[in-house]
Amino acid sequence: MSTVLAPPVVGRAATRGADGATFSALFVVILMIVPARLILRGLPFALTPAEAVGLFAVVWWFCAHLTNTLGAAKGFSPVRTAIYLYAVAYLASYAQAAVAYLEPRQLELADHIGVIALALVGIALVACDGVRGRDRIDLVLKTAVVAGAILGVIGGIQFLFSWDITADLTIPGTRVRGEAPAILERNGLNRAAATTSHPIEFGVVCSMILPIALHYAFAAREAGRPVLRWVVCCALIAAGLVFSASRSPVLGLAAAGLLLLSHWPARRRVQALIALVVFLAVVRLTAPGLVGAIAGLFDNLGNDDSIRYRTADYTIALEAIWQHPLLGRGHGTWYPPYDVVFDNQYLLTAVEGGLLGVATLVGLLGTAIWAALKARRLSTDQTTRDLGLSLAASLLVTLVGCATFDLNAFETTSGIAFLFVGLAGALLRTVRPRDAGALP
């Protein structure tokens, strides 16, 4: 019996049509450019346009795995397995909560959060199995970098001029959800949110994308290609990070920076440190007091009201975890303002998804970081090696950030995180072509 094989990807590169990379790039644009406060009309619950794209991704991925003609990778993938385990643990927690009695409000929230989780899993699977080849991975990541630069511009306008240019932005078929302002204030300084739902989210998104932008800037410089466009993108993304005036993105970027600096060559380290000094000097000139305000967030941490508020909830969290230690009380059933805010995704997942939920969440992010670093070790191409390191650094921001804010409460950060998880799996496949699923 003969075996039908899909046509080679390389042979189709010149005439390639829309694929998983095209879909993922479209998701990035919608996720990051469309304001997070806009949701689709006519639905009984809040669903953003990006989340709707994620639900369509589930359908595409499922159909693609029923045939060999849609270009989806088949066979074993460690990242895809981690996504499966995360989804199974999520469903097990939901099933346990649904079997027991839930208040109508809690059941409605559990259903809502479940739909969003399905969309995130869908975009991760499409990125993992539908993005085939380095050129397609670059397409998605470069789209994320350019979109991050646009966010930096929007955040800069909000911070410097106290003008939310997204306030009057409307899209046909959408409506505004809530009245959360895009510009907050701390110690007399604005805190910008750009198109995201909160300044913390804006800052974390910038810190996740900045290592990728640095990769393309250094790669262009070392290859002798035009580098100015990528330098501008790096500057705008870094500016967006400081315009958020938040602690979480700085902590995440510090962790990513340690990983990058420990593997970069000495010359690149010097260039990066010089660029950092110049950037901070420009920020001090254009936004006096901002650098000092951010540094002040780390002074006297033992008496910080924000930290005391977060740690005071540990007792409440432990009591809730003890009631349902394995599978939790159900995702979406712990809902402010009826319940306290933990500002810690690991604690929230332990309460809602149990210890199994925490294990699969950490396993998902850890497996993706391992896959990116594994691709770095296996590849003989220096650019691919650098990309693996940068992607691992971006995912490390998420791993650290989950301890300082609620990742799943913010659509943009969670969407970028799951997309990068899938791209880590796609990158590993490109450098290990003997894996099952690689086309001959």
PDB file of all heavy atoms in Angstrom, residues 137-170:
ATOM      1  N   ILE A 137       8.400  31.586  10.422  1.00  0.00           N
ATOM      2  CA  ILE A 137       8.539  32.006  11.819  1.00  0.00           C
ATOM      3  C   ILE A 137       8.946  33.473  11.884  1.00  0.00           C
ATOM      4  O   ILE A 137       8.419  34.254  12.695  1.00  0.00           O
ATOM      5  CB  ILE A 137       9.570  31.116  12.539  1.00  0.00           C
ATOM      6  CG1 ILE A 137       9.070  29.674  12.622  1.00  0.00           C
ATOM      7  CG2 ILE A 137       9.862  31.647  13.941  1.00  0.00           C
ATOM      8  CD1 ILE A 137      10.093  28.706  13.193  1.00  0.00           C
ATOM      9  N   ASP A 138       9.881  33.868  11.012  1.00  0.00           N
ATOM     10  CA  ASP A 138      10.294  35.270  10.961  1.00  0.00           C
ATOM     11  C   ASP A 138       9.123  36.186  10.614  1.00  0.00           C
ATOM     12  O   ASP A 138       9.024  37.299  11.155  1.00  0.00           O
ATOM     13  CB  ASP A 138      11.414  35.449   9.944  1.00  0.00           C
ATOM     14  CG  ASP A 138      12.742  34.897  10.429  1.00  0.00           C
ATOM     15  OD1 ASP A 138      12.915  34.783  11.658  1.00  0.00           O
ATOM     16  OD2 ASP A 138      13.598  34.566   9.587  1.00  0.00           O
ATOM     17  N   LEU A 139       8.261  35.746   9.724  1.00  0.00           N
ATOM     18  CA  LEU A 139       7.101  36.567   9.354  1.00  0.00           C
ATOM     19  C   LEU A 139       6.254  36.888  10.572  1.00  0.00           C
ATOM     20  O   LEU A 139       5.875  38.045  10.812  1.00  0.00           O
ATOM     21  CB  LEU A 139       6.263  35.840   8.303  1.00  0.00           C
ATOM     22  CG  LEU A 139       4.891  36.469   8.010  1.00  0.00           C
ATOM     23  CD1 LEU A 139       5.055  37.824   7.339  1.00  0.00           C
ATOM     24  CD2 LEU A 139       4.039  35.541   7.154  1.00  0.00           C
ATOM     25  N   VAL A 140       5.960  35.876  11.368  1.00  0.00           N
ATOM     26  CA  VAL A 140       5.108  36.077  12.542  1.00  0.00           C
ATOM     27  C   VAL A 140       5.803  36.955  13.573  1.00  0.00           C
ATOM     28  O   VAL A 140       5.218  37.911  14.108  1.00  0.00           O
ATOM     29  CB  VAL A 140       4.719  34.724  13.153  1.00  0.00           C
ATOM     30  CG1 VAL A 140       3.824  34.936  14.378  1.00  0.00           C
ATOM     31  CG2 VAL A 140       3.998  33.844  12.134  1.00  0.00           C
ATOM     32  N   LEU A 141       7.069  36.663  13.845  1.00  0.00           N
ATOM     33  CA  LEU A 141       7.777  37.411  14.878  1.00  0.00           C
ATOM     34  C   LEU A 141       8.053  38.853  14.452  1.00  0.00           C
ATOM     35  O   LEU A 141       7.985  39.776  15.279  1.00  0.00           O
ATOM     36  CB  LEU A 141       9.081  36.697  15.225  1.00  0.00           C
ATOM     37  CG  LEU A 141       8.917  35.361  15.969  1.00  0.00           C
ATOM     38  CD1 LEU A 141      10.263  34.697  16.190  1.00  0.00           C
ATOM     39  CD2 LEU A 141       8.206  35.575  17.301  1.00  0.00           C
ATOM     40  N   LYS A 142       8.369  39.073  13.191  1.00  0.00           N
ATOM     41  CA  LYS A 142       8.567  40.451  12.725  1.00  0.00           C
ATOM     42  C   LYS A 142       7.265  41.240  12.785  1.00  0.00           C
ATOM     43  O   LYS A 142       7.276  42.442  13.085  1.00  0.00           O
ATOM     44  CB  LYS A 142       9.122  40.441  11.297  1.00  0.00           C
ATOM     45  CG  LYS A 142      10.581  40.007  11.214  1.00  0.00           C
ATOM     46  CD  LYS A 142      11.076  40.007   9.778  1.00  0.00           C
ATOM     47  CE  LYS A 142      12.549  39.599   9.701  1.00  0.00           C
ATOM     48  NZ  LYS A 142      13.049  39.585   8.295  1.00  0.00           N
ATOM     49  N   THR A 143       6.162  40.575  12.516  1.00  0.00           N
ATOM     50  CA  THR A 143       4.863  41.241  12.665  1.00  0.00           C
ATOM     51  C   THR A 143       4.642  41.662  14.108  1.00  0.00           C
ATOM     52  O   THR A 143       4.160  42.775  14.381  1.00  0.00           O
ATOM     53  CB  THR A 143       3.731  40.300  12.216  1.00  0.00           C
ATOM     54  OG1 THR A 143       3.943  39.902  10.860  1.00  0.00           O
ATOM     55  CG2 THR A 143       2.379  40.984  12.334  1.00  0.00           C
ATOM     56  N   ALA A 144       5.007  40.785  15.054  1.00  0.00           N
ATOM     57  CA  ALA A 144       4.866  41.119  16.467  1.00  0.00           C
ATOM     58  C   ALA A 144       5.759  42.299  16.847  1.00  0.00           C
ATOM     59  O   ALA A 144       5.353  43.180  17.626  1.00  0.00           O
ATOM     60  CB  ALA A 144       5.197  39.902  17.328  1.00  0.00           C
ATOM     61  N   VAL A 145       6.958  42.363  16.293  1.00  0.00           N
ATOM     62  CA  VAL A 145       7.876  43.463  16.603  1.00  0.00           C
ATOM     63  C   VAL A 145       7.326  44.790  16.089  1.00  0.00           C
ATOM     64  O   VAL A 145       7.325  45.803  16.804  1.00  0.00           O
ATOM     65  CB  VAL A 145       9.270  43.175  16.008  1.00  0.00           C
ATOM     66  CG1 VAL A 145      10.163  44.415  16.113  1.00  0.00           C
ATOM     67  CG2 VAL A 145       9.924  42.006  16.719  1.00  0.00           C
ATOM     68  N   VAL A 146       6.857  44.801  14.848  1.00  0.00           N
ATOM     69  CA  VAL A 146       6.303  46.040  14.283  1.00  0.00           C
ATOM     70  C   VAL A 146       5.060  46.468  15.063  1.00  0.00           C
ATOM     71  O   VAL A 146       4.877  47.659  15.366  1.00  0.00           O
ATOM     72  CB  VAL A 146       5.979  45.844  12.793  1.00  0.00           C
ATOM     73  CG1 VAL A 146       5.259  47.063  12.236  1.00  0.00           C
ATOM     74  CG2 VAL A 146       7.258  45.574  12.001  1.00  0.00           C
ATOM     75  N   ALA A 147       4.203  45.504  15.399  1.00  0.00           N
ATOM     76  CA  ALA A 147       3.019  45.843  16.192  1.00  0.00           C
ATOM     77  C   ALA A 147       3.420  46.368  17.568  1.00  0.00           C
ATOM     78  O   ALA A 147       2.789  47.298  18.100  1.00  0.00           O
ATOM     79  CB  ALA A 147       2.125  44.610  16.325  1.00  0.00           C
ATOM     80  N   GLY A 148       4.477  45.796  18.162  1.00  0.00           N
ATOM     81  CA  GLY A 148       4.958  46.314  19.443  1.00  0.00           C
ATOM     82  C   GLY A 148       5.470  47.736  19.337  1.00  0.00           C
ATOM     83  O   GLY A 148       5.272  48.545  20.252  1.00  0.00           O
ATOM     84  N   ALA A 149       6.115  48.069  18.210  1.00  0.00           N
ATOM     85  CA  ALA A 149       6.566  49.446  18.004  1.00  0.00           C
ATOM     86  C   ALA A 149       5.382  50.401  17.897  1.00  0.00           C
ATOM     87  O   ALA A 149       5.421  51.524  18.422  1.00  0.00           O
ATOM     88  CB  ALA A 149       7.433  49.517  16.748  1.00  0.00           C
ATOM     89  N   ILE A 150       4.330  49.963  17.229  1.00  0.00           N
ATOM     90  CA  ILE A 150       3.122  50.801  17.130  1.00  0.00           C
ATOM     91  C   ILE A 150       2.523  51.023  18.517  1.00  0.00           C
ATOM     92  O   ILE A 150       2.088  52.135  18.859  1.00  0.00           O
ATOM     93  CB  ILE A 150       2.102  50.146  16.185  1.00  0.00           C
ATOM     94  CG1 ILE A 150       2.667  50.104  14.757  1.00  0.00           C
ATOM     95  CG2 ILE A 150       0.772  50.892  16.207  1.00  0.00           C
ATOM     96  CD1 ILE A 150       1.797  49.347  13.771  1.00  0.00           C
ATOM     97  N   LEU A 151       2.509  49.972  19.334  1.00  0.00           N
ATOM     98  CA  LEU A 151       2.034  50.139  20.708  1.00  0.00           C
ATOM     99  C   LEU A 151       2.895  51.150  21.455  1.00  0.00           C
ATOM    100  O   LEU A 151       2.381  51.934  22.261  1.00  0.00           O
ATOM    101  CB  LEU A 151       2.064  48.798  21.443  1.00  0.00           C
ATOM    102  CG  LEU A 151       1.018  47.746  21.096  1.00  0.00           C
ATOM    103  CD1 LEU A 151       1.034  46.633  22.122  1.00  0.00           C
ATOM    104  CD2 LEU A 151      -0.361  48.338  20.995  1.00  0.00           C
ATOM    105  N   GLY A 152       4.206  51.114  21.219  1.00  0.00           N
ATOM    106  CA  GLY A 152       5.079  52.076  21.866  1.00  0.00           C
ATOM    107  C   GLY A 152       4.742  53.507  21.496  1.00  0.00           C
ATOM    108  O   GLY A 152       4.772  54.402  22.342  1.00  0.00           O
ATOM    109  N   VAL A 153       4.398  53.735  20.237  1.00  0.00           N
ATOM    110  CA  VAL A 153       3.997  55.076  19.800  1.00  0.00           C
ATOM    111  C   VAL A 153       2.705  55.503  20.494  1.00  0.00           C
ATOM    112  O   VAL A 153       2.584  56.631  21.006  1.00  0.00           O
ATOM    113  CB  VAL A 153       3.828  55.112  18.271  1.00  0.00           C
ATOM    114  CG1 VAL A 153       3.240  56.456  17.827  1.00  0.00           C
ATOM    115  CG2 VAL A 153       5.159  54.867  17.580  1.00  0.00           C
ATOM    116  N   ILE A 154       1.732  54.604  20.511  1.00  0.00           N
ATOM    117  CA  ILE A 154       0.451  54.928  21.162  1.00  0.00           C
ATOM    118  C   ILE A 154       0.663  55.193  22.647  1.00  0.00           C
ATOM    119  O   ILE A 154       0.129  56.165  23.208  1.00  0.00           O
ATOM    120  CB  ILE A 154      -0.544  53.777  20.946  1.00  0.00           C
ATOM    121  CG1 ILE A 154      -0.864  53.615  19.466  1.00  0.00           C
ATOM    122  CG2 ILE A 154      -1.829  54.021  21.738  1.00  0.00           C
ATOM    123  CD1 ILE A 154      -1.719  52.405  19.140  1.00  0.00           C
ATOM    124  N   GLY A 155       1.453  54.341  23.304  1.00  0.00           N
ATOM    125  CA  GLY A 155       1.731  54.561  24.719  1.00  0.00           C
ATOM    126  C   GLY A 155       2.479  55.851  24.972  1.00  0.00           C
ATOM    127  O   GLY A 155       2.233  56.528  25.974  1.00  0.00           O
ATOM    128  N   GLY A 156       3.396  56.219  24.076  1.00  0.00           N
ATOM    129  CA  GLY A 156       4.122  57.474  24.230  1.00  0.00           C
ATOM    130  C   GLY A 156       3.196  58.679  24.151  1.00  0.00           C
ATOM    131  O   GLY A 156       3.342  59.637  24.917  1.00  0.00           O
ATOM    132  N   ILE A 157       2.255  58.643  23.220  1.00  0.00           N
ATOM    133  CA  ILE A 157       1.287  59.750  23.105  1.00  0.00           C
ATOM    134  C   ILE A 157       0.447  59.844  24.372  1.00  0.00           C
ATOM    135  O   ILE A 157       0.182  60.941  24.890  1.00  0.00           O
ATOM    136  CB  ILE A 157       0.404  59.555  21.860  1.00  0.00           C
ATOM    137  CG1 ILE A 157       1.261  59.669  20.594  1.00  0.00           C
ATOM    138  CG2 ILE A 157      -0.735  60.566  21.835  1.00  0.00           C
ATOM    139  CD1 ILE A 157       0.504  59.341  19.323  1.00  0.00           C
ATOM    140  N   GLN A 158       0.024  58.695  24.892  1.00  0.00           N
ATOM    141  CA  GLN A 158      -0.773  58.707  26.118  1.00  0.00           C
ATOM    142  C   GLN A 158       0.023  59.247  27.297  1.00  0.00           C
ATOM    143  O   GLN A 158      -0.489  60.030  28.108  1.00  0.00           O
ATOM    144  CB  GLN A 158      -1.269  57.292  26.418  1.00  0.00           C
ATOM    145  CG  GLN A 158      -2.286  56.760  25.422  1.00  0.00           C
ATOM    146  CD  GLN A 158      -2.605  55.299  25.648  1.00  0.00           C
ATOM    147  OE1 GLN A 158      -1.864  54.581  26.323  1.00  0.00           O
ATOM    148  NE2 GLN A 158      -3.709  54.833  25.093  1.00  0.00           N
ATOM    149  N   PHE A 159       1.282  58.841  27.395  1.00  0.00           N
ATOM    150  CA  PHE A 159       2.093  59.250  28.536  1.00  0.00           C
ATOM    151  C   PHE A 159       2.489  60.725  28.454  1.00  0.00           C
ATOM    152  O   PHE A 159       2.360  61.467  29.437  1.00  0.00           O
ATOM    153  CB  PHE A 159       3.353  58.383  28.608  1.00  0.00           C
ATOM    154  CG  PHE A 159       4.291  58.765  29.714  1.00  0.00           C
ATOM    155  CD1 PHE A 159       4.135  58.235  30.979  1.00  0.00           C
ATOM    156  CD2 PHE A 159       5.335  59.656  29.481  1.00  0.00           C
ATOM    157  CE1 PHE A 159       4.992  58.599  32.002  1.00  0.00           C
ATOM    158  CE2 PHE A 159       6.195  60.023  30.503  1.00  0.00           C
ATOM    159  CZ  PHE A 159       6.027  59.493  31.770  1.00  0.00           C
ATOM    160  N   LEU A 160       2.966  61.152  27.289  1.00  0.00           N
ATOM    161  CA  LEU A 160       3.523  62.498  27.163  1.00  0.00           C
ATOM    162  C   LEU A 160       2.458  63.575  27.057  1.00  0.00           C
ATOM    163  O   LEU A 160       2.642  64.696  27.547  1.00  0.00           O
ATOM    164  CB  LEU A 160       4.448  62.557  25.946  1.00  0.00           C
ATOM    165  CG  LEU A 160       5.703  61.676  26.009  1.00  0.00           C
ATOM    166  CD1 LEU A 160       6.435  61.690  24.677  1.00  0.00           C
ATOM    167  CD2 LEU A 160       6.626  62.128  27.135  1.00  0.00           C
ATOM    168  N   PHE A 161       1.326  63.242  26.422  1.00  0.00           N
ATOM    169  CA  PHE A 161       0.316  64.270  26.150  1.00  0.00           C
ATOM    170  C   PHE A 161      -1.010  64.022  26.860  1.00  0.00           C
ATOM    171  O   PHE A 161      -1.962  64.791  26.653  1.00  0.00           O
ATOM    172  CB  PHE A 161       0.070  64.362  24.643  1.00  0.00           C
ATOM    173  CG  PHE A 161       1.312  64.620  23.836  1.00  0.00           C
ATOM    174  CD1 PHE A 161       1.900  63.611  23.092  1.00  0.00           C
ATOM    175  CD2 PHE A 161       1.916  65.867  23.849  1.00  0.00           C
ATOM    176  CE1 PHE A 161       3.050  63.844  22.351  1.00  0.00           C
ATOM    177  CE2 PHE A 161       3.064  66.110  23.118  1.00  0.00           C
ATOM    178  CZ  PHE A 161       3.638  65.092  22.366  1.00  0.00           C
ATOM    179  N   SER A 162      -1.087  62.963  27.670  1.00  0.00           N
ATOM    180  CA  SER A 162      -2.329  62.615  28.394  1.00  0.00           C
ATOM    181  C   SER A 162      -3.515  62.515  27.439  1.00  0.00           C
ATOM    182  O   SER A 162      -4.631  62.925  27.767  1.00  0.00           O
ATOM    183  CB  SER A 162      -2.611  63.654  29.492  1.00  0.00           C
ATOM    184  OG  SER A 162      -1.560  63.700  30.421  1.00  0.00           O
ATOM    185  N   TRP A 163      -3.259  61.990  26.273  1.00  0.00           N
ATOM    186  CA  TRP A 163      -4.297  61.887  25.231  1.00  0.00           C
ATOM    187  C   TRP A 163      -4.417  60.425  24.815  1.00  0.00           C
ATOM    188  O   TRP A 163      -3.472  59.837  24.278  1.00  0.00           O
ATOM    189  CB  TRP A 163      -3.918  62.761  24.030  1.00  0.00           C
ATOM    190  CG  TRP A 163      -4.859  62.608  22.868  1.00  0.00           C
ATOM    191  CD1 TRP A 163      -6.196  62.362  22.915  1.00  0.00           C
ATOM    192  CD2 TRP A 163      -4.515  62.692  21.479  1.00  0.00           C
ATOM    193  NE1 TRP A 163      -6.726  62.283  21.647  1.00  0.00           N
ATOM    194  CE2 TRP A 163      -5.705  62.484  20.741  1.00  0.00           C
ATOM    195  CE3 TRP A 163      -3.326  62.938  20.788  1.00  0.00           C
ATOM    196  CZ2 TRP A 163      -5.739  62.506  19.353  1.00  0.00           C
ATOM    197  CZ3 TRP A 163      -3.358  62.962  19.402  1.00  0.00           C
ATOM    198  CH2 TRP A 163      -4.547  62.755  18.700  1.00  0.00           C
ATOM    199  N   ASP A 164      -5.567  59.848  25.060  1.00  0.00           N
ATOM    200  CA  ASP A 164      -5.816  58.477  24.659  1.00  0.00           C
ATOM    201  C   ASP A 164      -6.372  58.478  23.239  1.00  0.00           C
ATOM    202  O   ASP A 164      -7.564  58.693  23.031  1.00  0.00           O
ATOM    203  CB  ASP A 164      -6.796  57.803  25.622  1.00  0.00           C
ATOM    204  CG  ASP A 164      -7.075  56.360  25.240  1.00  0.00           C
ATOM    205  OD1 ASP A 164      -6.309  55.807  24.425  1.00  0.00           O
ATOM    206  OD2 ASP A 164      -8.064  55.789  25.742  1.00  0.00           O
ATOM    207  N   ILE A 165      -5.528  58.218  22.269  1.00  0.00           N
ATOM    208  CA  ILE A 165      -5.962  58.272  20.874  1.00  0.00           C
ATOM    209  C   ILE A 165      -6.819  57.065  20.499  1.00  0.00           C
ATOM    210  O   ILE A 165      -7.401  57.050  19.411  1.00  0.00           O
ATOM    211  CB  ILE A 165      -4.746  58.353  19.922  1.00  0.00           C
ATOM    212  CG1 ILE A 165      -3.879  57.106  20.033  1.00  0.00           C
ATOM    213  CG2 ILE A 165      -3.922  59.587  20.208  1.00  0.00           C
ATOM    214  CD1 ILE A 165      -2.752  57.061  19.024  1.00  0.00           C
ATOM    215  N   THR A 166      -6.891  56.083  21.377  1.00  0.00           N
ATOM    216  CA  THR A 166      -7.739  54.918  21.084  1.00  0.00           C
ATOM    217  C   THR A 166      -9.155  55.081  21.622  1.00  0.00           C
ATOM    218  O   THR A 166      -9.998  54.214  21.395  1.00  0.00           O
ATOM    219  CB  THR A 166      -7.129  53.644  21.699  1.00  0.00           C
ATOM    220  OG1 THR A 166      -7.235  53.687  23.133  1.00  0.00           O
ATOM    221  CG2 THR A 166      -5.671  53.504  21.311  1.00  0.00           C
ATOM    222  N   ALA A 167      -9.418  56.192  22.345  1.00  0.00           N
ATOM    223  CA  ALA A 167     -10.714  56.330  23.021  1.00  0.00           C
ATOM    224  C   ALA A 167     -11.876  56.342  22.042  1.00  0.00           C
ATOM    225  O   ALA A 167     -12.957  55.820  22.330  1.00  0.00           O
ATOM    226  CB  ALA A 167     -10.726  57.602  23.868  1.00  0.00           C
ATOM    227  N   ASP A 168     -11.676  56.955  20.888  1.00  0.00           N
ATOM    228  CA  ASP A 168     -12.764  57.089  19.915  1.00  0.00           C
ATOM    229  C   ASP A 168     -12.682  56.065  18.792  1.00  0.00           C
ATOM    230  O   ASP A 168     -13.421  56.164  17.804  1.00  0.00           O
ATOM    231  CB  ASP A 168     -12.759  58.498  19.316  1.00  0.00           C
ATOM    232  CG  ASP A 168     -12.981  59.571  20.372  1.00  0.00           C
ATOM    233  OD1 ASP A 168     -13.772  59.315  21.299  1.00  0.00           O
ATOM    234  OD2 ASP A 168     -12.362  60.635  20.265  1.00  0.00           O
ATOM    235  N   LEU A 169     -11.778  55.095  18.940  1.00  0.00           N
ATOM    236  CA  LEU A 169     -11.632  54.083  17.896  1.00  0.00           C
ATOM    237  C   LEU A 169     -12.747  53.051  18.012  1.00  0.00           C
ATOM    238  O   LEU A 169     -12.934  52.431  19.051  1.00  0.00           O
ATOM    239  CB  LEU A 169     -10.275  53.391  18.010  1.00  0.00           C
ATOM    240  CG  LEU A 169     -10.022  52.260  17.012  1.00  0.00           C
ATOM    241  CD1 LEU A 169     -10.060  52.783  15.589  1.00  0.00           C
ATOM    242  CD2 LEU A 169      -8.682  51.583  17.301  1.00  0.00           C
ATOM    243  N   THR A 170     -13.483  52.887  16.948  1.00  0.00           N
ATOM    244  CA  THR A 170     -14.542  51.884  16.903  1.00  0.00           C
ATOM    245  C   THR A 170     -14.377  51.045  15.638  1.00  0.00           C
ATOM    246  O   THR A 170     -13.871  51.521  14.620  1.00  0.00           O
ATOM    247  CB  THR A 170     -15.936  52.530  16.904  1.00  0.00           C
ATOM    248  OG1 THR A 170     -16.047  53.413  15.770  1.00  0.00           O
ATOM    249  CG2 THR A 170     -16.167  53.313  18.187  1.00  0.00           C
TER     250      THR A 170
END
